[in-house]
């Protein structure tokens, strides 16, 4: 915690610069009680309660609970110059900006929308993807609870002569329940604590043949020190900083859990990796049926049984590869 405390003192009331951002992203904090979460069934109400309690312990003010309208404020006021003051340009770092530009391109490649089709983006942030979609002739719609962010997007669109529609609402809401050819979350889905209900609701927001794209989400192949459980608050210093400073919900997921979650809420999930920049890796979710699986029929096999078996299978496969390499060298 000493290094984290020193970083907090250096940042003060400001926001992390690029060097501090990277330093905190690589730093993992030891949080009491985190290990207990990994022993619970991640689909159970007890797990959900424990995950929320862990978030509240990191944020402070546990008696207030979590309310997205209050606890997801902007990090800072809109910049005077949106062309240089918004993400990714505000990083003033070519390498950092490239990660976002890679991600934008990967999203465009996998949206799967017809010419002139429609996209609904939740949590569009600085609006760079929406502006690009509008330039390409798509109907670009954005929903956010941050009024200032929406205003900045509208300002940019007006200056460029583009049609970008925005509406202030929460995840799953907005635009009077209209259906779209694609729905996008870019670095936004992990802010949804009630993500299971959200995934069920999103079935009603897609047109037939549509898809849901999750990009830039903190998903790991297997539990790590920063995400030591199937899902829950991330424990890297950058995430904890955002939880404490702003109150943001900063969740992380394992790949196996996210795929199982998608299946139990009626989606088929496919991962598309992007090796040059992990931020650009994305999941494409397509409806399995018109109705999600009935909650009482979910997870017929115990998660606590299935996960160790999968880990053992991976370990056995690695052992076999090692033996083959050894044999080849003899």
């Amino acid at each position: 915690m000493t290094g984290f405390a020193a970083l907090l003192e250096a940042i003060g009331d400001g926001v992390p610069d690029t060097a501090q951002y990277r330093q905190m992203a690589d730093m993992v904090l030891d949080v009491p009680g985190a290990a207990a979460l990994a022993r619970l069934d991640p689909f159970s109400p007890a797990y959900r309660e424990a995950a929320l309690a862990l978030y509240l312990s990191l944020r402070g003010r546990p008696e207030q609970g979590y309310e997205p309208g209050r606890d997801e404020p902007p990090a800072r006021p809109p910049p005077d110059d949106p062309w240089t003051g918004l993400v990714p340009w505000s990083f003033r770092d070519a390498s950092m900006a490239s990660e976002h530009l890679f991600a934008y391109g990967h999203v465009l490649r996998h949206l799967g929308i017809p010419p002139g089709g429609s996209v609904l983006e939740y949590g569009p942030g600085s609006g760079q993807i929406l502006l690009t979609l509008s330039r390409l002739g798509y109907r670009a719609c954005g929903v956010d609870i941050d009024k200032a962010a929406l205003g900045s997007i509208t300002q940019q669109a007006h200056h460029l002569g583009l049609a970008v529609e925005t509406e202030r609402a929460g995840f799953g809401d907005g635009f009077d329940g209209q259906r779209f050819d694609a729905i996008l979350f870019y670095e936004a889905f992990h802010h949804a604590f009630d993500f299971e209900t959200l995934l069920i609701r999103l079935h009603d927001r897609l047109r037939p043949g549509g898809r849901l794209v999750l990009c830039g989400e903190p998903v790991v192949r297997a539990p790590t020190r920063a995400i030591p459980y199937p899902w829950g608050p991330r424990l890297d210093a950058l995430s904890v900083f955002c939880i404490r400073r702003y109150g943001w919900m900063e969740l992380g997921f394992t790949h196996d859990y996210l795929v199982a979650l998608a299946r139990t809420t009626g989606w088929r999930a496919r991962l598309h990796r992007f090796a040059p920049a992990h931020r650009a890796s994305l999941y494409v979710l397509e409806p399995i049926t018109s109705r999600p699986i009935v909650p009482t029929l979910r997870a017929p096999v115990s998660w606590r049984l299935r996960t160790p078996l999968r880990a053992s299978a991976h370990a056995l496969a690695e052992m076999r590869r090692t033996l083959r390499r050894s044999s080849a060298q003899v």
Side-chain angles (χ1 to χ4, degrees), residues 139-192:
R139 183 189 176 201
C141 301
V143 168
D144 206 308
I145 59 174
D146 184 351
K147 183 178 180 180
L150 295 178
S152 180
I153 294 172
T154 300
Q155 177 190 4
Q156 295 173 80
H158 178 75
H159 182 86
L160 296 172
L162 299 174
V164 175
E165 303 171 51
T166 62
E167 188 168 318
R168 189 180 186 188
F171 290 159
D173 295 327
F175 292 94
D176 297 321
Q178 297 176 43
R179 292 176 179 263
F180 295 82
D181 294 305
I183 296 174
L184 169 66
F185 288 80
Y186 175 59
E187 296 191 333
F189 183 77
H190 64 271
H191 290 291

Side-chain angles (χ1 to χ4, degrees), residues 35-80:
L37 194 59
R39 295 192 289 269
L40 299 175
D41 180 346
F43 291 96
S44 68
Y47 189 104
R48 177 183 171 84
E49 293 174 6
L52 180 58
L54 179 57
Y55 157 81
L56 293 174
S57 72
L58 293 171
R59 190 202 66 183
R61 310 180 307 281
E63 71 284 352
Q64 295 182 7
Y66 170 71
E67 296 179 9
R70 179 197 63 205
D71 296 319
E72 298 290 342
R76 51 187 168 184
D80 294 331

Side-chain angles (χ1 to χ4, degrees), residues 172-244:
D173 295 327
F175 292 94
D176 297 321
Q178 297 176 43
R179 292 176 179 263
F180 295 82
D181 294 305
I183 296 174
L184 169 66
F185 288 80
Y186 175 59
E187 296 191 333
F189 183 77
H190 64 271
H191 290 291
F193 185 72
D194 199 10
F195 51 79
E196 186 173 12
T197 300
L198 174 60
L199 285 174
I200 293 173
R201 292 183 62 196
L202 290 176
H203 282 276
D204 295 328
R205 304 307 310 272
L206 275 181
R207 289 176 176 168
R211 59 177 54 177
L212 169 62
V213 175
L214 309 178
C215 182
E217 299 299 338
V219 181
V220 293
R221 295 186 182 185
T224 63
R225 287 187 62 219
I227 308 175
Y229 24 58
W231 71 270
R234 304 195 305 280
L235 305 181
D236 61 276
L238 180 61
S239 298
V240 174
F241 168 81
C242 291
I243 291 171
R244 288 186 179 181

Side-chain angles (χ1 to χ4, degrees), residues 119 121 124 127-135 140-142 153 164:
V119 179
E121 182 179 6
Q128 303 307 301
I129 297 178
L130 288 177
L131 294 167
T132 301
L133 288 168
S134 181
R135 284 174 171 169
C141 301
I153 294 172
V164 175

